[in-house]
Amino acid sequence: MMGMNDAWLLAALPAGAFAILLIFGPYLPRRGDWLSIAAIGASFVLFFPVLADLLDKIATPGALPGLSGWNWIEYAGFKLRLGFAVDQLTIVMLVVVSFVALMVQVYSVGYMKGDPHYGWFFTCMSLFAAAMLTLVLADNFLLLYIAWEGVGFCSYLLIGFWNERRSAAEAAKKAFVTTRIGDVGLLIGIIMLWRATGTFDIRETFEAARAGVMSEPYLTTAVILIFAGAVGKSAQFPLHVWLPDAMEGPTPVSALIHAATMVVAGVYLVARTLPLFELAHPAALNLVTALGLTTVFMSATMGLVMNDIKRVVAYSTINSLGLMMVALGSGQVAAAMIYLFAHAFFKALLFLGSGSVLHATEKSDVRELGGLWRKMPLTATLFGVGVLAMAGIPPLSGFWAKDEIVLSSSQHQNAFVYGLIVLSVFITGLYMARLFLLTFTGEPRDRHAFEHAHEAPPIMTVPNVLLAVLAVVAGLVVFDQVGEALGFPGGIGKFVYLAEPEAFSFHGDVAAVSIIAALAGVLGAFYFWWGEAKPAKAAGARFPFVYALWKNKYYMDCLYQALIDRVVLVFSRFIAWWDRKIINDTGVNGSAALAVYSSFRLKFLQTGRLPNYAFAIILGVVVMAIVAMTVLV
């Protein structure tokens, strides 16, 4: 019977589908889309026996964790293992990745229909799912890093899927280069840990750190470098700039990246290595909190003024990722993971709902939409569920998940952090309700787009319905009674934890503050953007500097472009000059030219006449004699 030791199959199935599609895809019926869907569907089904085995192990005292793999290199005491492990943290990620990837791929059958690269799309999606599942299952830092780079490579392929459009090609390069900055830090951090402990194994590294094999400054440096990788992948300030531009890829790609794969990889990495952060200097976790909080506030304010429907949802993703980082900075891994779990469903719902709007109208600018609830009532209803869940309106999943983070910030952070988190809840309700109002209510602003709007086909709406159901109920796993009814030890706090399990406790005062903030944001959106949105226009005119600051994304892109133009390119031109003139022309070609010149001059010493050679010999003897006599005297 399949169990945790066979969990590697969850990644192997989509990897196998990728290999088959890569070679035989063009010759398969429907370009092999059914194979890609069947592979990730099988991974989702096989998740349940893995989960059942884990629950049995948890209930059995002294039972060993699920491990599988093989030794790749073993020589003179050095061992390099490629292995897989399953624990509670892994389980949460496995269900999120497998289910959301399945829903996205089913949805893609309708959304990508007729695309000339239809088969290649499903080939890349299979590789994407395989890389993320491998990352989640890896029991050592080396395999994790390989899968980490695989996820980045797949995102490059899929963001730039329509690379004939310059904007898509540029967005793919931007995502790849920006995340590489963090990845370099991650690689250095992994090497530092290996150098100190002699192992890549994650659990052995934890044990070595607890044994004190690393000094506090050394460990702190290593974990901050590891966090740099998470900053890049999870789009945290200041490396958040790539994520909004990633919307240039097909909408199903955006849903998969934002809900289940690339961006949550950074959150998973910090959650996985949180024991190291807690052993390091408190500055490490303070840095996680500070960057997460900065990301939360900046993304929320930028989301208020964006007009592209997918970009608004993208900024909501950055906002959510920042909240997860704040929870991890507070040492609350359960709060971060419940939000990651619930967020996956309502964020996939929001992106796929946006895709339905684009599919029906071929418009993404909310200024050209409006009134779509009359033509697309089901899409409007499902999208509204996602909006309310993201805003944190009870009893939807977003409320229970976000309430845990608000509670952890009130208990483990200072009043300033708590106040900004509550403020972000208000702003989130504001811009998410704005998005819904401008898209689905009021009068159509583009009559042509409105007349051609229609509901998506069932192949696209069924995944959205399933995601909407989970967006409603997923947050209930915080309750111990719900967890026990599902066969877990209790709520998520009793399932995912570091030191000891925590029972769920509801704090009415904190919840009331969160609810009031979220409702105030939603109602505020009605005031500003209902009808002709005159109050919103007046506010923008009254505060032009603030509006321009948010509209231009705090000028971060401008700053980076200036650094590239005036620093990177200038330095690169100097390096190019140095390489061409000093290294190549002088060092390489110069030495060759000197040898040619010397050879050319020396050839004149060879005349072929004996009298000349005899004269040279006599002259040499005379010179040597004179030198010898001078020295002797």
Side-chain angles (χ1 to χ4, degrees):
M1 182 178 178
M2 181 174 175
M4 289 191 293
N5 293 337
D6 305 304
W8 58 273
L9 285 170
L10 274 70
L13 287 170
F18 161 74
I20 295 172
L21 291 172
L22 184 65
I23 300 172
F24 304 108
Y27 312 104
L28 295 175
R30 297 180 55 86
R31 304 290 181 88
D33 59 353
W34 53 272
L35 180 60
S36 179
I37 295 171
I40 192 61
S43 295
F44 176 63
V45 171
L46 293 177
F47 158 78
F48 291 98
V50 173
L51 172 62
D53 190 26
L54 175 66
L55 293 175
D56 289 341
K57 292 291 194 302
I58 292 175
T60 306
L64 297 175
L67 300 172
S68 59
W70 61 92
N71 292 333
W72 183 25
I73 298 174
E74 192 169 2
Y75 177 75
F78 174 77
K79 183 173 68 173
L80 188 56
R81 173 182 169 82
L82 296 182
F84 304 88
V86 177
D87 62 7
Q88 292 92 320
L89 196 62
T90 307
I91 284 293
V92 175
M93 296 299 299
L94 288 178
V95 68
V96 164
V97 176
S98 59
F99 179 76
V100 173
L102 176 60
M103 293 297 100
V104 168
Q105 290 200 35
V106 171
Y107 178 95
S108 300
V109 172
Y111 190 87
M112 299 300 294
K113 183 179 181 180
D115 192 280
H117 304 294
Y118 181 83
W120 175 241
F121 176 85
F122 281 94
T123 302
C124 293
M125 292 291 269
S126 288
L127 181 61
F128 207 172
M132 187 63 192
L133 289 168
T134 302
L135 188 157
V136 169
L137 288 165
D139 73 346
N140 64 86
F141 283 113
L142 182 63
L143 182 58
L144 183 148
Y145 185 77
I146 293 171
W148 183 274
E149 292 300 326
V151 168
F153 173 66
C154 293
S155 69
Y156 171 78
L157 293 177
L158 288 167
I159 293 171
F161 182 77
W162 290 318
N163 54 66
E164 64 275 8
R165 298 193 326 220
R166 181 174 179 83
S167 58
E170 292 295 330
K173 288 190 292 184
K174 185 176 183 178
F176 192 78
V177 172
T178 305
T179 55
R180 290 291 75 71
I181 296 171
D183 293 355
V184 171
L186 172 61
L187 180 59
I188 296 173
I190 290 173
I191 293 173
M192 287 182 67
L193 293 176
W194 170 77
R195 182 176 179 272
T197 63
T199 181
F200 286 108
D201 187 276
I202 295 175
R203 287 168 177 78
E204 292 178 2
T205 302
F206 292 168
E207 293 172 1
R210 294 188 187 100
V213 299
M214 291 175 279
S215 66
E216 187 180 78
Y218 187 95
L219 178 59
T220 302
T221 303
V223 297
I224 288 176
L225 288 168
I226 287 175
F227 178 59
V231 168
K233 277 287 191 292
S234 289
Q236 297 296 286
F237 175 85
L239 300 181
H240 63 281
V241 293
W242 68 268
L243 193 56
D245 291 347
M247 300 304 98
E248 291 293 338
T251 301
V253 172
S254 302
L256 192 59
I257 288 177
H258 286 246
T261 53
M262 185 164 173
V263 298
V264 296
V267 175
Y268 170 76
L269 177 66
V270 177
R272 172 61 68 196
T273 56
L274 199 59
L276 296 179
F277 281 84
E278 293 188 333
L279 291 170
H281 191 277
L285 282 178
N286 289 340
L287 179 63
V288 175
T289 302
L291 292 187
L293 194 63
T294 303
T295 304
V296 166
F297 184 76
M298 290 181 65
S299 60
T301 52
M302 288 186 283
L304 271 174
V305 297
M306 296 298 156
N307 295 313
D308 185 281
I309 185 172
K310 288 174 62 179
R311 277 179 166 76
V312 175
V313 181
Y315 279 111
S316 75
T317 299
I318 300 175
N319 179 271
S320 296
L321 295 168
L323 287 173
M324 297 177 207
M325 289 298 183
V326 171
L328 291 171
S330 305
Q332 301 299 300
V333 65
M337 294 309 294
I338 178 55
Y339 195 45
L340 186 152
F341 176 72
H343 169 266
F345 306 126
F346 62 72
K347 189 51 55 70
L349 173 62
L350 287 169
F351 270 110
L352 297 185
S354 301
S356 296
V357 171
L358 269 68
H359 184 266
T361 65
E362 297 183 355
K363 299 289 184 180
S364 62
D365 193 323
V366 294
R367 294 171 296 184
E368 300 176 346
L369 298 173
L372 290 180
W373 67 271
R374 283 175 267 173
K375 286 295 192 77
M376 308 173 67
L378 179 58
T379 298
T381 301
L382 297 177
F383 195 88
V385 171
V387 165
L388 294 177
M390 178 67 208
I393 302 298
L396 303 181
S397 62
F399 164 72
W400 301 108
K402 194 172 290 187
D403 183 66
E404 288 293 288
I405 295 179
V406 175
L407 178 61
S408 67
S409 65
S410 69
Q411 294 178 337
H412 302 280
Q413 298 290 347
N414 56 45
F416 176 74
V417 174
Y418 174 63
L420 280 183
I421 293 295
V422 173
L423 177 61
S424 77
V425 173
F426 166 74
I427 300 176
T428 300
L430 199 62
Y431 73 77
M432 290 306 299
R434 166 187 179 265
L435 178 64
F436 182 86
L437 292 172
L438 294 180
T439 303
F440 294 102
T441 67
E443 293 300 318
R445 288 176 285 279
D446 187 318
R447 181 59 62 174
H448 178 75
F450 177 78
E451 293 299 333
H452 287 80
H454 55 83
E455 279 290 5
I459 194 71
M460 296 169 63
T461 55
V462 170
N464 278 350
V465 170
L466 295 176
L467 288 168
V469 171
L470 288 172
V472 173
V473 304
L476 299 179
V477 296
V478 299
F479 292 99
D480 292 337
Q481 296 85 349
V482 174
E484 292 168 359
L486 294 173
F488 293 90
I492 195 165
K494 288 188 176 180
F495 183 68
V496 179
Y497 56 88
L498 288 182
E500 58 184 19
E502 294 183 14
F504 173 73
S505 58
F506 184 75
H507 293 248
D509 54 342
V510 175
V513 171
S514 177
I515 293 172
I516 291 171
L519 288 176
V522 172
L523 295 176
F526 276 86
Y527 169 75
F528 281 104
W529 287 284
W530 182 258
E532 298 181 2
K534 291 181 179 179
K537 296 174 183 177
R542 186 174 182 180
F543 303 101
F545 173 76
V546 175
Y547 179 81
L549 182 68
W550 294 349
K551 187 71 174 177
N552 290 283
K553 298 171 282 190
Y554 289 88
Y555 298 98
M556 291 292 294
D557 287 287
C558 299
L559 174 62
Y560 284 144
Q561 192 62 54
L563 288 174
I564 291 171
D565 293 341
R566 300 178 185 179
V567 178
V568 176
L569 293 181
V570 171
F571 182 70
S572 299
R573 282 194 288 269
F574 169 74
I575 294 297
W577 175 87
W578 181 272
D579 177 68
R580 184 176 63 255
K581 296 296 185 182
I582 306 301
I583 304 299
N584 192 40
D585 294 351
T586 303
V588 179
N589 294 342
S591 59
L594 180 62
V596 171
Y597 176 78
S598 301
S599 300
F600 176 78
R601 302 305 304 174
L602 287 173
K603 74 177 183 179
F604 294 110
L605 297 177
Q606 304 296 326
T607 64
R609 298 178 180 179
L610 291 177
N612 291 346
Y613 298 154
F615 175 74
I617 292 171
I618 293 171
L619 180 62
V621 171
V622 171
V623 171
M624 292 173 63
I626 293 173
V627 172
M629 288 187 293
T630 302
V631 172
L632 291 174
V633 172

